[in-house]
Amino acid sequence: MKNQLKVENISFNYLNKKILLDINFEYEDRGVIGLLGPNGSGKTTLMRILVGLKTPKTGQVLLNNKSILDNRKELVNMVGYLPQNFEIYNYISGLDFLSYVCDVKGLNNKEKKEQIDYLVEKFNLSSVIKKRFGSYSGGYKRRLGIAQAMIGNPQFIIIDEPTVGLDPEQRFEFRQYLAGIGKESIILISTHIVEDISFYCDKIIILNQGKITFDGYRDDLIEIVDGKIYEGIINIEEYDKVKENFRIIEQSGSERGKVKLRVICEDNNISDRFTKVKPSLENAYVYFQAR
Amino acid sequence: MCIFKQDKKLYLDIFYKKKYILNSIIIAFGIALILLGVYYIKINPLPLIDGIDINENYANGGLLWSEPLLERDVPIFMIIVICFAFYEDYIGNAYEILTFYNKEKFNTLVFSRWLIYTVIILFIALANVFIQYIYSIGSILDVLILMMRFIPPILFISSLCLFVIVIFKNFIPAFVVSIIYVVLDQFSGGRLFKVFTLMGNSFFLENKSLFYINRLSLTIISVIFVYFACRISAKI
């Protein structure tokens, strides 16, 4: 069955400050939507509105033509949520919490056992599932978080900043898990780290200062910047000069005394030491934000 | 790598600074308020009942012997219990996912937890009173009616504590506000809060109507506090 998500005219103010302004987007079928934006752009606020934790000033959210903000019971059954800082009580075990979520979602005992066994195996939680949550590492906490979001096979899964606070190895591992989930659902992942979504996102939405500045597919975003990204290796002494003339969007170490740069050049007026390259999603995002 | 390091450092800086500095300010403010209240009360003499100072009367067990226990000690114990029951919700971010799984517009999880702790403490406290009075008074009905006098102050403090925890998302302001209320009420002999005093049994000894208004007011406000606490905590 196709899922259809429509977010219509969502606005939110806080203490007379406009946090979100007229947010509209829609998505059909299964897949992953990446919500990109810098810190303070309103991503978490939007996530919390979509899961009914905050009341928008205006607007509605329709999932399969049902308004989920007006009916919390429907919302909890149809939506899975992993907040940015996922915490539960330190003294309860992961198993107890998954069991609690199953009860809230109205699963019977047989379904509960099947779901928990499946999720514990899928997210490699068997070694810790009976231990207290307080003893979990950051990586295990996140895995438990995504496991609880998937209980009941929700049609819409919302994940807020999935890799914040994880070390690089844990982040890589978590991205592998994210790539494998939600074959039957619409997944909305919000992040300011492009790497979190670059491998498996179909649709990209960019949020900046409470407004949507881009709503399209990843190839469309990359196309905007195609032909404008150049890569070259320069001496470290030349770095400041290059920085004066071009916007540097990526840099990495090269051989001693040299640095590899990617820069934006709109008019082809650049040294021969730089060659045109195919931009990555991160390059496209940085270019788009800098416009 | 750089982004991760910045994120974690920024997150820890903001989180810990906000929490510890804010809590310290609240505690310092609470202590200052108590000292101010005590000073005010000391320079204004307390009224007398039958020639006896209210606080001295209270210290001797009050007129009904159970007043210090049920109008001071049990409320203080209740504050500690409610703060302990809810502190872990807000010390991390557990309240967010728990609020998400609340299916009503009224946070039934918060309400049921508050109710369980309050009822248990009330039951134990009132059972103590029952045992004390049943031998001297004899009639179970009279003792039960007597026990009803002590429910409103305990209910009030419990609901006040819950309301402040939910508003501030932090147990420290709730602890400070509730303790200040009890302490200032005690030191002022009920004069500071008058119709909302917890010491109604002594303060309104000579005026039954005001006593009933006092008990009724505390009960009504308790219900209001709990209702709004559970409505507010249904969202974040």
Side-chain angles (χ1 to χ4, degrees), chain A residues 32 34 36 159-164 166 171-172 174-176 178-179 189-201 281-282, chain B residues 7:
Chain A
V32 184
L36 285 172
I159 302 172
D160 191 7
E161 302 277 5
T163 61
V164 162
L166 300 182
R171 288 166 96 191
F172 177 74
F174 196 74
R175 283 178 201 139
Q176 307 288 87
L178 287 179
I189 300 176
S190 92
T191 182
H192 64 279
I193 303 167
V194 182
E195 277 176 299
D196 281 352
I197 54 163
S198 56
F199 296 111
Y200 42 77
C201 246
L281 182 63
E282 187 159 3
Chain B
D7 279 346

Side-chain angles (χ1 to χ4, degrees), chain B residues 125-162:
Chain B
L126 295 176
N128 187 293
V129 172
F130 184 88
I131 294 165
Q132 271 188 42
Y133 289 144
I134 194 63
Y135 295 107
S136 51
I137 295 175
S139 160
I140 292 177
L141 187 65
D142 287 342
V143 174
L144 286 173
I145 291 170
L146 195 68
M147 279 158 54
M148 299 278 281
R149 301 166 76 107
F150 296 107
I151 294 176
I154 300 170
L155 209 62
F156 173 78
I157 281 297
S158 177
S159 61
L160 171 67
C161 204
L162 176 72

Side-chain angles (χ1 to χ4, degrees), chain A residues 48 52-55 72-73 75-77 79 81 83 85 87 89-91 101 104 148 166 171 192, chain B residues 1 3-4 7-8 11 88-89 92-94 96-104 109 113 234-236:
Chain A
R48 286 174 173 170
L53 289 177
K54 284 194 186 295
T55 306
R72 270 212 72 80
K73 283 183 182 145
L75 187 150
V76 172
N77 290 335
V79 176
Y81 178 49
N85 303 319
E87 297 265 357
Y89 301 130
N90 285 334
Y91 54 83
V101 175
V104 169
Q148 62 81 31
L166 300 182
R171 288 166 96 191
H192 64 279
Chain B
M1 184 79 81
I3 294 167
F4 158 72
D7 279 346
K8 194 169 181 179
Y11 169 74
E88 207 169 348
D89 285 28
N93 201 48
E96 185 167 0
I97 198 70
L98 293 174
T99 308
F100 171 68
Y101 284 118
N102 173 57
K103 285 184 170 179
E104 314 290 338
L109 187 64
R113 285 159 64 202
K235 301 269 178 189
I236 63 166

Side-chain angles (χ1 to χ4, degrees), chain B residues 82-83 85-87 89-90 95 99 105-114 157-175 177-178 224-236:
Chain B
I82 296 294
C83 288
F86 287 95
Y87 91 98
D89 285 28
Y90 300 104
Y95 74 98
T99 308
K105 287 183 181 175
F106 183 85
N107 196 326
T108 48
L109 187 64
V110 165
F111 177 70
S112 53
R113 285 159 64 202
W114 171 83
I157 281 297
S158 177
S159 61
L160 171 67
C161 204
L162 176 72
F163 182 74
V164 178
I165 286 177
V166 162
I167 293 291
F168 283 91
K169 293 188 173 57
N170 187 343
F171 77 98
I172 297 274
F175 185 81
V177 166
S178 309
I224 292 171
F225 275 155
V226 171
Y227 175 75
F228 280 108
C230 295
R231 280 297 298 245
I232 289 166
S233 61
K235 301 269 178 189
I236 63 166

